[in-house]
Amino acid sequence: MFDKSTWIRLPRNVVVGKGVRSQFLEVVDDLHLRGRPLFVTSPTPRSIAADPIAADFEAAGIDPAIVTVERASFEAVEEVIETAEAEEVAYLVGIGGGKAIDIAKMASHHLEMGFCSVPTAASHDGIVSNRGSVPDGDTRHSVAAEPPLAVVADTELLADAPWELTTAGCADIISNYTAVMDWRLANRLKNVEYSGFAAALAEMTAEILVDNADHVRPGLEESAWIVTKALVSSGVAMSIAGSSRPASGAEHLFSHQLDRLAPGAALHGHQVGVGSIMTAYLHDGEHGIWQDIRDALDSIDAPTTAAELGIDDETVLEALTTCHAIRDRYTILGDGMNEEAAREVATTTGVIS
Ligand SMILES: NC(=O)C1=CN([C@@H]2O[C@H](COP(=O)(O)OP(=O)(O)OC[C@H]3O[C@@H](n4cnc5c(N)ncnc54)[C@H](O)[C@@H]3O)[C@@H](O)[C@H]2O)C=CC1
Ligand SMILES: O=C(CO)COP(=O)(O)O
Ligand SMILES: [Zn+2]
């Protein structure tokens, strides 16, 4: 008997383009969101985006509450929930990078309130997804979160952001290649639930980005456009899958472990990109796609080595040999690499010297 069912939650309004942040009030109105919003942001995004958008709301007679967060943690989610309750808000808006948006979407999920996403950096594919990513001691959780009702991505703002944030977003997308390879492997070996549609969308998104890599250049608004569309598409793949699997495999485990071993050293997207070079090699060896991944990263100025990440070789090896245990997600790393094998892959791919 065929008794499958699925519930795919996607944004209703995706607004991308030059100056669209000034249309945010209109978008909120279109969604029939009423009452006071809570803006969840971090220090720089607050000054460049949250405060100006708040001024638009004030001019329209709505007084938004604003909370500034610094880290992605369950404590930060708790703090946002408490602020939302104390300020009696009606919906939440994440304005900033991946961490502010993740915290806002997780708090919205708990509060059963609407959520809108206003990215200030094209640095990650959580702009649209229905997942939140939170480190917790020795482990890392991918938790259910509220998908945005609307995404308002102002390409002018995104093109003005530091260039490395955009290259990090590109690398987060390029890592879809290995994430999908891991997902297929886990499906074959462990019967992990798999969606061919979500996998194809995640891979195609990486493909289109790589094909357009020549147009991804600093200061070009077209770059912000290309990367943002890819980030939205990758987030949709996660929402179709109901899991971060199409965009997160062993390369993400590696990055999450680096976050623990070398906190703040490098951006999420850059770490997963370097991880992807190595896990591609583990999947299909010397003549496989690892060199294409490395060349694609190189062509958009994303790091391809430990030195470019600002992380020492020994830390890379420690992350490689321990990251399989960070959470219950079967990947090409299986039950872990030994140090010799880790040194071999990291050296052969030029990640360490
Ligand atoms: N939920 C999901 O599906 C996903 C979640 N993530 C999560 O997102 C996080 C990574 O996101 P990132 O954006 O790389 O980190 P982040 O949120 O820490 O942002 C990096 C830095 O850039 C700053 N920033 C943002 N916009 C700026 C601008 N326009 N100008 C100057 N500075 C600006 C931020 O304030 C922050 O200091 C990780 O925690 C990762 O796990 C990443 C991908 C998917
Ligand atoms: O970063 C992500 C996808 O790019 C989210 O994945 P995680 O589930 O590994 O946090
Ligand atoms: Zn990612």
Side-chain angles (χ1 to χ4, degrees):
M1 194 180 76
F2 186 83
D3 62 355
K4 267 172 103 169
S5 68
T6 186
W7 189 348
I8 300 171
R9 301 176 77 207
L10 299 169
R12 189 170 109 179
N13 292 335
V14 177
V15 185
V16 183
K18 191 182 186 74
V20 295
R21 64 188 179 279
S22 64
Q23 293 170 30
F24 188 56
L25 253 176
E26 224 179 296
V27 171
V28 161
D29 198 45
D30 182 70
L31 292 165
H32 310 298
L33 289 170
R34 306 275 178 250
R36 193 176 185 215
L38 172 62
F39 291 177
V40 181
T41 187
S42 62
T44 309
R46 176 168 186 161
S47 61
I48 60 176
D51 284 343
I53 295 173
D56 290 346
F57 273 65
E58 278 154 19
I62 306 163
D63 168 34
I66 305 188
V67 61
T68 305
V69 293
E70 305 274 358
R71 293 186 315 116
S73 64
F74 286 119
E75 292 75 42
V77 177
E78 202 49 52
E79 189 194 325
V80 169
I81 291 169
E82 280 165 19
T83 308
E85 285 168 347
E87 300 286 340
E88 298 184 358
V89 302
Y91 62 99
L92 276 69
V93 186
I95 306 178
K99 289 175 188 159
I101 289 177
D102 266 1
I103 292 166
K105 69 167 81 147
M106 287 185 276
S108 303
H109 184 74
H110 177 88
L111 291 158
E112 298 180 351
M113 282 182 184
F115 160 66
C116 299
S117 171
V118 182
T120 59
S123 50
H124 64 99
D125 57 8
I127 292 172
V128 168
S129 74
N130 63 347
R131 313 299 301 174
S133 183
V134 195
D136 183 21
D138 289 347
T139 180
R140 180 95 180 193
H141 302 282
S142 171
V143 294
E146 199 63 22
L149 292 165
V151 182
V152 175
D154 189 326
T155 48
E156 191 175 30
L157 197 70
L158 300 169
D160 273 355
W163 176 235
E164 64 268 21
L165 290 170
T166 307
T167 66
C170 293
D172 208 13
I173 297 295
I174 290 169
S175 79
N176 287 0
Y177 283 122
T178 47
V180 171
M181 287 163 110
D182 279 322
W183 195 14
R184 288 204 183 101
L185 182 76
N187 172 254
R188 287 195 292 260
L189 290 186
K190 303 287 174 186
N191 209 27
V192 163
E193 198 174 340
Y194 175 78
S195 156
F197 287 100
L201 180 59
E203 280 178 324
M204 185 192 70
T205 303
E207 201 85 50
I208 292 174
L209 185 80
V210 170
D211 287 349
N212 281 284
D214 286 349
H215 303 283
V216 181
R217 291 287 167 263
L220 274 189
E221 203 166 329
E222 190 192 352
S223 306
W225 173 267
I226 292 168
V227 181
T228 305
K229 299 273 260 198
L231 295 168
V232 168
S233 173
S234 192
V236 167
M238 288 191 256
S239 293
I240 291 174
S243 132
S244 61
R245 269 286 190 181
S248 171
E251 73 299 316
H252 271 69
L253 299 180
F254 170 72
S255 168
H256 297 333
Q257 192 66 313
L258 286 181
D259 285 343
R260 293 186 55 242
L261 299 171
L267 289 165
H268 167 84
H270 290 165
Q271 294 177 169
V272 302
V274 171
S276 197
I277 298 172
M278 295 186 286
T279 62
Y281 181 88
L282 293 175
H283 271 284
D284 57 11
E286 204 182 336
H287 302 294
I289 65 158
W290 73 270
Q291 298 194 46
D292 299 332
I293 291 178
R294 186 198 54 192
D295 294 348
L297 292 169
D298 196 41
S299 79
I300 45 106
D301 296 342
T304 58
T305 65
E308 285 169 3
L309 285 177
I311 294 174
D312 62 68
D313 292 359
E314 292 311 308
T315 305
V316 162
L317 294 178
E318 189 180 346
L320 265 182
T321 51
T322 56
C323 68
H324 63 283
I326 208 163
R327 75 170 176 216
D328 183 20
R329 173 160 296 196
Y330 192 80
T331 69
I332 191 68
L333 297 172
D335 62 0
M337 297 186 77
N338 67 27
E339 200 193 321
E340 220 180 339
R343 197 175 285 280
E344 166 78 21
V345 64
T347 311
T348 309
T349 54
V351 169
I352 68 170
S353 41

mmCIF file of all heavy atoms in Angstrom, residues 169-195:
data_model
loop_
_atom_site.group_PDB
_atom_site.id
_atom_site.type_symbol
_atom_site.label_atom_id
_atom_site.label_comp_id
_atom_site.label_asym_id
_atom_site.label_seq_id
_atom_site.Cartn_x
_atom_site.Cartn_y
_atom_site.Cartn_z
ATOM 1 N N GLY A 169 29.319 32.180 0.774
ATOM 2 C CA GLY A 169 28.024 31.688 0.290
ATOM 3 C C GLY A 169 28.205 30.788 -0.919
ATOM 4 O O GLY A 169 27.562 29.733 -1.035
ATOM 5 N N CYS A 170 29.109 31.194 -1.826
ATOM 6 C CA CYS A 170 29.379 30.355 -3.019
ATOM 7 C C CYS A 170 29.899 28.984 -2.585
ATOM 8 O O CYS A 170 29.478 27.942 -3.119
ATOM 9 C CB CYS A 170 30.445 31.013 -3.904
ATOM 10 S SG CYS A 170 29.901 32.533 -4.665
ATOM 11 N N ALA A 171 30.817 28.986 -1.628
ATOM 12 C CA ALA A 171 31.411 27.716 -1.189
ATOM 13 C C ALA A 171 30.365 26.838 -0.497
ATOM 14 O O ALA A 171 30.368 25.607 -0.657
ATOM 15 C CB ALA A 171 32.597 27.994 -0.266
ATOM 16 N N ASP A 172 29.444 27.458 0.243
ATOM 17 C CA ASP A 172 28.368 26.688 0.894
ATOM 18 C C ASP A 172 27.533 25.977 -0.186
ATOM 19 O O ASP A 172 27.094 24.828 -0.003
ATOM 20 C CB ASP A 172 27.491 27.637 1.729
ATOM 21 C CG ASP A 172 26.823 26.950 2.919
ATOM 22 O OD1 ASP A 172 27.203 25.821 3.263
ATOM 23 O OD2 ASP A 172 25.905 27.555 3.510
ATOM 24 N N ILE A 173 27.337 26.660 -1.324
ATOM 25 C CA ILE A 173 26.576 26.053 -2.436
ATOM 26 C C ILE A 173 27.400 24.956 -3.129
ATOM 27 O O ILE A 173 26.880 23.873 -3.428
ATOM 28 C CB ILE A 173 26.230 27.140 -3.489
ATOM 29 C CG1 ILE A 173 25.324 28.217 -2.896
ATOM 30 C CG2 ILE A 173 25.588 26.509 -4.729
ATOM 31 C CD1 ILE A 173 23.979 27.732 -2.504
ATOM 32 N N ILE A 174 28.678 25.243 -3.386
ATOM 33 C CA ILE A 174 29.526 24.258 -4.086
ATOM 34 C C ILE A 174 29.609 22.963 -3.274
ATOM 35 O O ILE A 174 29.682 21.858 -3.821
ATOM 36 C CB ILE A 174 30.917 24.885 -4.389
ATOM 37 C CG1 ILE A 174 30.757 25.967 -5.463
ATOM 38 C CG2 ILE A 174 31.934 23.819 -4.833
ATOM 39 C CD1 ILE A 174 31.974 26.856 -5.676
ATOM 40 N N SER A 175 29.539 23.093 -1.949
ATOM 41 C CA SER A 175 29.616 21.893 -1.095
ATOM 42 C C SER A 175 28.398 20.989 -1.269
ATOM 43 O O SER A 175 28.394 19.849 -0.790
ATOM 44 C CB SER A 175 29.779 22.291 0.377
ATOM 45 O OG SER A 175 28.539 22.670 0.930
ATOM 46 N N ASN A 176 27.357 21.465 -1.978
ATOM 47 C CA ASN A 176 26.193 20.594 -2.226
ATOM 48 C C ASN A 176 26.605 19.325 -2.986
ATOM 49 O O ASN A 176 25.991 18.264 -2.823
ATOM 50 C CB ASN A 176 25.123 21.318 -3.058
ATOM 51 C CG ASN A 176 24.378 22.380 -2.259
ATOM 52 O OD1 ASN A 176 24.662 22.584 -1.083
ATOM 53 N ND2 ASN A 176 23.440 23.053 -2.899
ATOM 54 N N TYR A 177 27.645 19.443 -3.831
ATOM 55 C CA TYR A 177 28.088 18.265 -4.592
ATOM 56 C C TYR A 177 28.395 17.098 -3.647
ATOM 57 O O TYR A 177 27.923 15.981 -3.844
ATOM 58 C CB TYR A 177 29.358 18.587 -5.385
ATOM 59 C CG TYR A 177 29.158 19.402 -6.629
ATOM 60 C CD1 TYR A 177 29.806 20.625 -6.781
ATOM 61 C CD2 TYR A 177 28.364 18.950 -7.680
ATOM 62 C CE1 TYR A 177 29.657 21.388 -7.939
ATOM 63 C CE2 TYR A 177 28.206 19.691 -8.834
ATOM 64 C CZ TYR A 177 28.858 20.912 -8.969
ATOM 65 O OH TYR A 177 28.704 21.652 -10.108
ATOM 66 N N THR A 178 29.211 17.374 -2.636
ATOM 67 C CA THR A 178 29.595 16.264 -1.745
ATOM 68 C C THR A 178 28.484 15.931 -0.754
ATOM 69 O O THR A 178 28.336 14.775 -0.344
ATOM 70 C CB THR A 178 30.915 16.575 -1.004
ATOM 71 O OG1 THR A 178 30.851 17.906 -0.462
ATOM 72 C CG2 THR A 178 32.097 16.441 -1.940
ATOM 73 N N ALA A 179 27.685 16.945 -0.377
ATOM 74 C CA ALA A 179 26.567 16.662 0.532
ATOM 75 C C ALA A 179 25.640 15.629 -0.114
ATOM 76 O O ALA A 179 25.202 14.666 0.534
ATOM 77 C CB ALA A 179 25.811 17.954 0.845
ATOM 78 N N VAL A 180 25.370 15.813 -1.412
ATOM 79 C CA VAL A 180 24.460 14.886 -2.105
ATOM 80 C C VAL A 180 25.117 13.509 -2.268
ATOM 81 O O VAL A 180 24.449 12.468 -2.127
ATOM 82 C CB VAL A 180 23.992 15.489 -3.453
ATOM 83 C CG1 VAL A 180 23.237 14.465 -4.287
ATOM 84 C CG2 VAL A 180 23.107 16.720 -3.213
ATOM 85 N N MET A 181 26.432 13.505 -2.526
ATOM 86 C CA MET A 181 27.121 12.194 -2.619
ATOM 87 C C MET A 181 26.979 11.436 -1.291
ATOM 88 O O MET A 181 26.727 10.225 -1.261
ATOM 89 C CB MET A 181 28.615 12.419 -2.931
ATOM 90 C CG MET A 181 28.896 12.865 -4.351
ATOM 91 S SD MET A 181 30.559 13.576 -4.493
ATOM 92 C CE MET A 181 31.379 12.336 -5.436
ATOM 93 N N ASP A 182 27.139 12.161 -0.174
ATOM 94 C CA ASP A 182 26.993 11.533 1.142
ATOM 95 C C ASP A 182 25.555 11.062 1.373
ATOM 96 O O ASP A 182 25.323 10.010 1.973
ATOM 97 C CB ASP A 182 27.380 12.529 2.246
ATOM 98 C CG ASP A 182 28.881 12.615 2.432
ATOM 99 O OD1 ASP A 182 29.558 11.572 2.332
ATOM 100 O OD2 ASP A 182 29.392 13.727 2.666
ATOM 101 N N TRP A 183 24.621 11.861 0.906
ATOM 102 C CA TRP A 183 23.209 11.525 1.120
ATOM 103 C C TRP A 183 22.865 10.231 0.371
ATOM 104 O O TRP A 183 22.215 9.328 0.912
ATOM 105 C CB TRP A 183 22.349 12.695 0.630
ATOM 106 C CG TRP A 183 20.916 12.658 1.090
ATOM 107 C CD1 TRP A 183 20.368 11.882 2.077
ATOM 108 C CD2 TRP A 183 19.855 13.449 0.563
ATOM 109 N NE1 TRP A 183 19.026 12.146 2.197
ATOM 110 C CE2 TRP A 183 18.683 13.101 1.281
ATOM 111 C CE3 TRP A 183 19.763 14.425 -0.439
ATOM 112 C CZ2 TRP A 183 17.445 13.701 1.025
ATOM 113 C CZ3 TRP A 183 18.528 15.019 -0.693
ATOM 114 C CH2 TRP A 183 17.389 14.654 0.033
ATOM 115 N N ARG A 184 23.350 10.135 -0.885
ATOM 116 C CA ARG A 184 23.068 8.915 -1.670
ATOM 117 C C ARG A 184 23.707 7.696 -1.001
ATOM 118 O O ARG A 184 23.106 6.633 -0.919
ATOM 119 C CB ARG A 184 23.632 9.053 -3.087
ATOM 120 C CG ARG A 184 22.839 10.015 -3.921
ATOM 121 C CD ARG A 184 23.002 9.740 -5.424
ATOM 122 N NE ARG A 184 22.264 10.761 -6.138
ATOM 123 C CZ ARG A 184 22.815 11.822 -6.708
ATOM 124 N NH1 ARG A 184 24.123 11.979 -6.702
ATOM 125 N NH2 ARG A 184 22.072 12.728 -7.306
ATOM 126 N N LEU A 185 24.934 7.894 -0.525
ATOM 127 C CA LEU A 185 25.633 6.790 0.144
ATOM 128 C C LEU A 185 24.845 6.337 1.379
ATOM 129 O O LEU A 185 24.637 5.136 1.601
ATOM 130 C CB LEU A 185 27.034 7.274 0.562
ATOM 131 C CG LEU A 185 27.925 6.238 1.227
ATOM 132 C CD1 LEU A 185 28.469 5.271 0.182
ATOM 133 C CD2 LEU A 185 29.083 6.930 1.955
ATOM 134 N N ALA A 186 24.389 7.312 2.157
ATOM 135 C CA ALA A 186 23.643 6.979 3.381
ATOM 136 C C ALA A 186 22.320 6.294 3.039
ATOM 137 O O ALA A 186 21.866 5.401 3.758
ATOM 138 C CB ALA A 186 23.394 8.259 4.186
ATOM 139 N N ASN A 187 21.738 6.688 1.908
ATOM 140 C CA ASN A 187 20.498 6.043 1.462
ATOM 141 C C ASN A 187 20.773 4.588 1.101
ATOM 142 O O ASN A 187 20.041 3.671 1.493
ATOM 143 C CB ASN A 187 19.918 6.826 0.280
ATOM 144 C CG ASN A 187 18.750 6.121 -0.355
ATOM 145 O OD1 ASN A 187 18.857 5.558 -1.434
ATOM 146 N ND2 ASN A 187 17.620 6.111 0.331
ATOM 147 N N ARG A 188 21.884 4.368 0.375
ATOM 148 C CA ARG A 188 22.187 2.995 -0.067
ATOM 149 C C ARG A 188 22.604 2.098 1.091
ATOM 150 O O ARG A 188 22.184 0.951 1.175
ATOM 151 C CB ARG A 188 23.292 3.019 -1.130
ATOM 152 C CG ARG A 188 22.811 3.549 -2.483
ATOM 153 C CD ARG A 188 23.797 3.229 -3.596
ATOM 154 N NE ARG A 188 25.027 3.975 -3.418
ATOM 155 C CZ ARG A 188 25.333 5.095 -4.090
ATOM 156 N NH1 ARG A 188 24.511 5.574 -4.994
ATOM 157 N NH2 ARG A 188 26.459 5.714 -3.877
ATOM 158 N N LEU A 189 23.438 2.657 1.986
ATOM 159 C CA LEU A 189 23.978 1.817 3.057
ATOM 160 C C LEU A 189 23.102 1.736 4.297
ATOM 161 O O LEU A 189 23.116 0.740 5.013
ATOM 162 C CB LEU A 189 25.355 2.334 3.494
ATOM 163 C CG LEU A 189 26.500 2.166 2.509
ATOM 164 C CD1 LEU A 189 27.805 2.596 3.152
ATOM 165 C CD2 LEU A 189 26.620 0.719 2.053
ATOM 166 N N LYS A 190 22.392 2.828 4.583
ATOM 167 C CA LYS A 190 21.650 2.889 5.848
ATOM 168 C C LYS A 190 20.162 3.146 5.667
ATOM 169 O O LYS A 190 19.461 3.413 6.643
ATOM 170 C CB LYS A 190 22.234 4.016 6.736
ATOM 171 C CG LYS A 190 23.721 3.883 7.029
ATOM 172 C CD LYS A 190 23.987 2.767 8.024
ATOM 173 C CE LYS A 190 25.474 2.553 8.204
ATOM 174 N NZ LYS A 190 25.763 1.379 9.057
ATOM 175 N N ASN A 191 19.735 3.133 4.412
ATOM 176 C CA ASN A 191 18.317 3.352 4.117
ATOM 177 C C ASN A 191 17.802 4.703 4.627
ATOM 178 O O ASN A 191 16.623 4.845 4.967
ATOM 179 C CB ASN A 191 17.482 2.207 4.723
ATOM 180 C CG ASN A 191 16.228 1.991 3.909
ATOM 181 O OD1 ASN A 191 16.213 2.288 2.714
ATOM 182 N ND2 ASN A 191 15.174 1.511 4.545
ATOM 183 N N VAL A 192 18.691 5.682 4.680
ATOM 184 C CA VAL A 192 18.292 7.034 5.088
ATOM 185 C C VAL A 192 17.313 7.573 4.042
ATOM 186 O O VAL A 192 17.520 7.393 2.844
ATOM 187 C CB VAL A 192 19.550 7.939 5.174
ATOM 188 C CG1 VAL A 192 19.201 9.417 5.183
ATOM 189 C CG2 VAL A 192 20.372 7.570 6.398
ATOM 190 N N GLU A 193 16.251 8.229 4.506
ATOM 191 C CA GLU A 193 15.253 8.753 3.577
ATOM 192 C C GLU A 193 15.897 9.722 2.595
ATOM 193 O O GLU A 193 16.708 10.574 2.987
ATOM 194 C CB GLU A 193 14.150 9.448 4.368
ATOM 195 C CG GLU A 193 12.911 9.610 3.536
ATOM 196 C CD GLU A 193 11.756 10.177 4.355
ATOM 197 O OE1 GLU A 193 11.781 10.090 5.593
ATOM 198 O OE2 GLU A 193 10.840 10.706 3.711
ATOM 199 N N TYR A 194 15.540 9.570 1.326
ATOM 200 C CA TYR A 194 16.213 10.317 0.256
ATOM 201 C C TYR A 194 15.173 10.879 -0.690
ATOM 202 O O TYR A 194 14.183 10.225 -0.996
ATOM 203 C CB TYR A 194 17.142 9.334 -0.478
ATOM 204 C CG TYR A 194 17.829 9.885 -1.700
ATOM 205 C CD1 TYR A 194 18.924 10.717 -1.569
ATOM 206 C CD2 TYR A 194 17.371 9.557 -2.975
ATOM 207 C CE1 TYR A 194 19.574 11.223 -2.695
ATOM 208 C CE2 TYR A 194 18.016 10.053 -4.106
ATOM 209 C CZ TYR A 194 19.111 10.884 -3.952
ATOM 210 O OH TYR A 194 19.748 11.383 -5.054
ATOM 211 N N SER A 195 15.406 12.110 -1.138
ATOM 212 C CA SER A 195 14.512 12.679 -2.144
ATOM 213 C C SER A 195 15.317 13.003 -3.392
ATOM 214 O O SER A 195 16.214 13.850 -3.365
ATOM 215 C CB SER A 195 13.857 13.963 -1.603
ATOM 216 O OG SER A 195 13.467 14.799 -2.688
#
